Amino acid sequence: MATMYLISIFFLFFSCWFCCIEAAPISAQVCFSYLPIQAASAAISYVGLVAALDRPKGSMAGDSGSLVRVGPSKVAGIGLFCNVPKITKGTVLGTYPGTLIPLQQNLGKVRKCPGCVSYIWRFTDSKMIIDPTNEFGDIEDYTYGGSAATPGSMWICQNLLSFLRKPTFLCRINEPPKGFDVNVRTEEDLTERTITFTLERDVYDGEEFFIDYGLSYDRSSYGPNPGMEN
């Protein structure tokens, strides 16, 4: 991905240089009259590359966004809950939202903002991750996309491409405490690079959704199992 951005930047300077070389026999004034056009063309191309490569992936399925709500959790701060009388087994909630990034390209952000690891989904082949967090490593109501490894990418996504944002409901799903079951299963597609969330059983109004974070998740910060009594 980074190579594509470098090519775009190179195109900007090459276009301007070529314009001057071609226009030199005419006049310097004609040469410089082309520069704003070439710069605008390169800028538009760059934004297009960011939109294609760094836009957020994932979505809520159908009207599932209206079936759930975010609220305080007895497990870990904030959780995701059923917001209707019943959601039946097999209902697809959606796919995990965030920016698809090669694992190695996101290490700098992880070192700078270690808290983002709690929300980053790492694929089982450890080649790619999906990062729904902002530039500070925090989770918001929406993920806007962008890669910290790409110059200007996060600013472009948040300010120029904000219409591509995705809700982060699925990022709020916690692991169950000991003694409670998982009611949402996840399925990776390593070809399409998606993670689909599907109900493992019927879920009822006010019930919190739980998933298994997988074997590679770091649970060293977990404290004692929280009480779940009403």
Side-chain angles (χ1 to χ4, degrees):
M1 291 184 184
T3 302
M4 295 296 293
Y5 296 109
L6 292 175
I7 290 174
S8 180
I9 294 172
F10 174 77
F11 173 75
L12 167 61
F13 289 102
F14 177 78
S15 297
C16 295
W17 173 81
F18 182 76
C19 168
C20 289
I21 292 298
E22 289 295 306
I26 305 173
S27 70
Q29 183 178 0
V30 174
C31 167
F32 285 107
S33 70
Y34 282 94
L35 293 182
I37 297 175
Q38 297 294 339
S41 176
I44 292 172
S45 297
Y46 192 81
V47 171
L49 283 172
V50 170
L53 300 176
D54 289 346
R55 72 183 187 279
K57 309 294 194 297
S59 64
M60 297 298 290
D63 63 349
S64 58
S66 64
L67 305 180
V68 301
R69 64 175 174 83
V70 173
S73 169
K74 294 181 180 180
V75 176
I78 299 295
L80 189 69
F81 298 81
C82 178
N83 198 42
V84 293
K86 177 182 176 182
I87 309 177
T88 58
K89 176 182 178 179
T91 298
V92 175
L93 297 179
T95 52
Y96 199 72
T99 309
L100 183 65
I101 307 172
L103 176 64
Q104 295 300 317
Q105 285 189 17
N106 211 48
L107 295 181
K109 180 179 179 180
V110 169
R111 286 191 291 267
K112 181 181 177 182
C113 311
C116 69
V117 174
S118 297
Y119 299 102
I120 289 175
W121 189 287
R122 186 173 72 180
F123 286 91
T124 53
D125 61 1
S126 294
K127 294 180 179 179
M128 304 290 290
I129 58 98
I130 294 181
D131 184 356
T133 64
N134 62 21
E135 60 185 312
F136 306 108
D138 300 321
I139 195 73
E140 298 178 316
D141 292 338
Y142 294 91
T143 179
Y144 291 84
S147 170
T150 303
S153 173
M154 300 197 81
W155 185 91
I156 289 171
C157 286
Q158 292 172 7
N159 293 278
L160 303 181
L161 303 173
S162 59
F163 60 91
L164 297 176
R165 67 185 186 178
K166 303 290 185 180
T168 57
F169 289 121
L170 298 181
C171 305
R172 303 292 190 175
I173 300 182
N174 294 310
E175 266 198 323
K178 187 175 182 180
F180 284 75
D181 68 324
V182 169
N183 51 26
V184 178
R185 70 175 185 272
T186 59
E187 183 179 357
E188 286 189 3
D189 185 329
L190 293 177
T191 301
E192 297 296 326
R193 293 295 178 183
T194 59
I195 306 101
T196 302
F197 286 57
T198 306
L199 290 192
E200 185 77 6
R201 60 169 174 78
D202 294 346
V203 178
Y204 298 89
D205 190 12
E207 187 176 355
E208 184 169 356
F209 296 104
F210 292 120
I211 63 172
D212 182 352
Y213 284 176
L215 296 176
S216 63
Y217 187 78
D218 181 7
R219 298 173 176 83
S220 60
S221 62
Y222 279 19
N225 289 326
M228 293 291 290
E229 64 276 0
N230 293 323

